[in-house]
Amino acid sequence: MRLRHIELFHAVLTTGSLTGAADLLNVSQPAASKALQHAETQLGFALFCRVRGRLQPTPEALLLRHRVERIIQDLHDLQRLTANIGRPESEPLRVTCTPTLAHALVPDATTQLRKTFPGSTAQLFTQHSAEMCESLMLHEADIGLTLQSASHQGLRQEPLCHGHVMVIAPPGWWSAEELAQPLPVAALAGQPMVGIAMQDALGRMLQSHLTQVIPAPQTSVWVQTYQLAYSLVAQGAGLALVDPFTATRGGGEIVQTRPLKLKLDVVLYAVYRQDSPLNPLQKHFLDLVRQLALQMLAPA
């Protein structure tokens, strides 16, 4: 199959008709019909049969469908990459970060950046780490900020600061004396907790430690973001394990916080392409992120 055959095949699959495929590809209907006939002649089997006025894929076409869709997606990725490579250097600072950092850190750094570079503009995105790596490689973003290691060929990760896993609790849960001490993992035994159902390295490690606590914590609610866990804890739902940035700037509500007595650092990483040196604006932004992060994690 030639590339034009693949594009036409996918367009017919998408629209269900030659007329729709022709409109999608911006060609005439006769040209689309001729290209489809040529593709089927080259292949030696039919790709579509007509059922109630619509083109239905044949069994042979269904075998090709998954691979063709993957090729089309690769073509779209290539188009996105070439478009972004050709962008002018005056484009704004483009930062992608995890939802936690979008809430607690990136807005402050962006605001301070504009005090030094008042003419600058910024584009901010929130993504999970796997999507973040893809955006960086496709030149859709220039800097990524995440709390987990982003091992990816072609990307460089720079640790900006280290923090600790924190335990948060509703107001009045602990005494002043208890608040002055880290909380042992064993102290979570049998406690009501909000569970973090996150598919990242930190979430998996925390869950692994909790499975060793006997009796197990009583988890009745599971959430996918640390911010949601923070809000539930503030309303009395129990304890939760969160990153230090959420513990410091959760959701505006009041909670108590204690570091978890566990040898497990939370690292703030900056991620960027190895083949794209940071310009002065990007370097200054990362300096601000580092400074603000250290201030947030400093003992009160």
Side-chain angles (χ1 to χ4, degrees), residues 129-130 133 146 148-157 269 271 274:
S129 295
C133 291
T146 177
Q148 64 174 311
S149 179
S151 299
H152 192 288
Q153 186 176 4
L155 295 180
R156 176 179 301 169
Q157 62 179 24
Y269 292 102
V271 187
Q274 292 182 357

Side-chain angles (χ1 to χ4, degrees), residues 19-233:
T19 302
D23 290 341
L24 192 63
L25 298 176
N26 197 28
V27 298
S28 67
Q29 195 275 341
S33 178
K34 184 178 179 179
L36 180 59
Q37 292 174 9
H38 184 255
E40 292 177 329
T41 300
Q42 292 285 100
L43 291 171
F45 54 82
L47 292 172
F48 297 95
C49 57
R50 188 168 295 279
V51 178
R52 299 188 188 91
R54 291 182 64 83
L55 293 180
Q56 297 290 339
T58 63
E60 293 83 359
L62 293 176
L63 292 175
L64 300 175
R65 182 171 191 163
H66 175 70
R67 192 171 292 258
V68 163
E69 288 178 343
R70 191 166 64 188
I71 292 172
I72 293 296
Q73 182 59 53
D74 287 342
L75 282 173
H76 289 165
D77 288 347
L78 179 61
Q79 290 168 351
R80 288 158 60 191
L81 177 59
T82 54
N84 288 314
I85 288 177
R87 65 184 177 87
E89 290 303 317
S90 60
E91 282 291 316
L93 171 75
R94 300 179 303 170
V95 178
T96 176
C97 64
T98 59
T100 291
L101 300 174
H103 182 81
L105 186 62
V106 171
D108 292 346
T110 304
T111 299
Q112 292 198 21
L113 178 73
R114 287 186 48 76
K115 294 180 180 178
T116 305
F117 296 89
S120 66
T121 59
Q123 295 176 357
L124 309 178
F125 313 90
T126 57
Q127 294 175 309
H128 294 295
S129 295
E131 298 168 329
M132 180 182 302
C133 291
E134 181 181 3
S135 291
L136 290 168
M137 293 305 298
L138 290 173
H139 290 241
E140 293 177 336
D142 303 310
I143 295 174
L145 296 171
T146 177
L147 296 180
Q148 64 174 311
S149 179
S151 299
H152 192 288
Q153 186 176 4
L155 295 180
R156 176 179 301 169
Q157 62 179 24
E158 176 185 345
L160 300 181
C161 67
H162 297 251
H164 301 288
V165 176
M166 303 295 290
V167 188
I168 57 175
W173 193 275
W174 295 306
S175 67
E177 292 76 16
E178 290 174 319
L179 283 172
Q181 301 294 327
L183 182 73
V185 178
L188 298 173
Q191 294 295 312
M193 291 196 68
V194 176
I196 309 293
M198 294 189 64
Q199 301 301 315
D200 62 8
L202 178 60
R204 287 192 294 269
M205 284 189 289
L206 293 178
Q207 191 58 38
S208 175
H209 285 287
L210 288 179
T211 58
Q212 302 176 30
V213 175
I214 301 175
Q218 302 173 14
T219 305
S220 57
V221 180
W222 292 87
V223 298
Q224 290 188 327
T225 67
Y226 294 118
Q227 295 88 351
L228 186 52
Y230 186 106
S231 296
L232 287 168
V233 168

Side-chain angles (χ1 to χ4, degrees), residues 2-14:
R2 298 181 181 276
L3 181 57
R4 60 190 178 90
H5 296 155
I6 292 173
E7 291 179 318
L8 177 61
F9 175 64
H10 184 262
V12 176
L13 283 174
T14 302

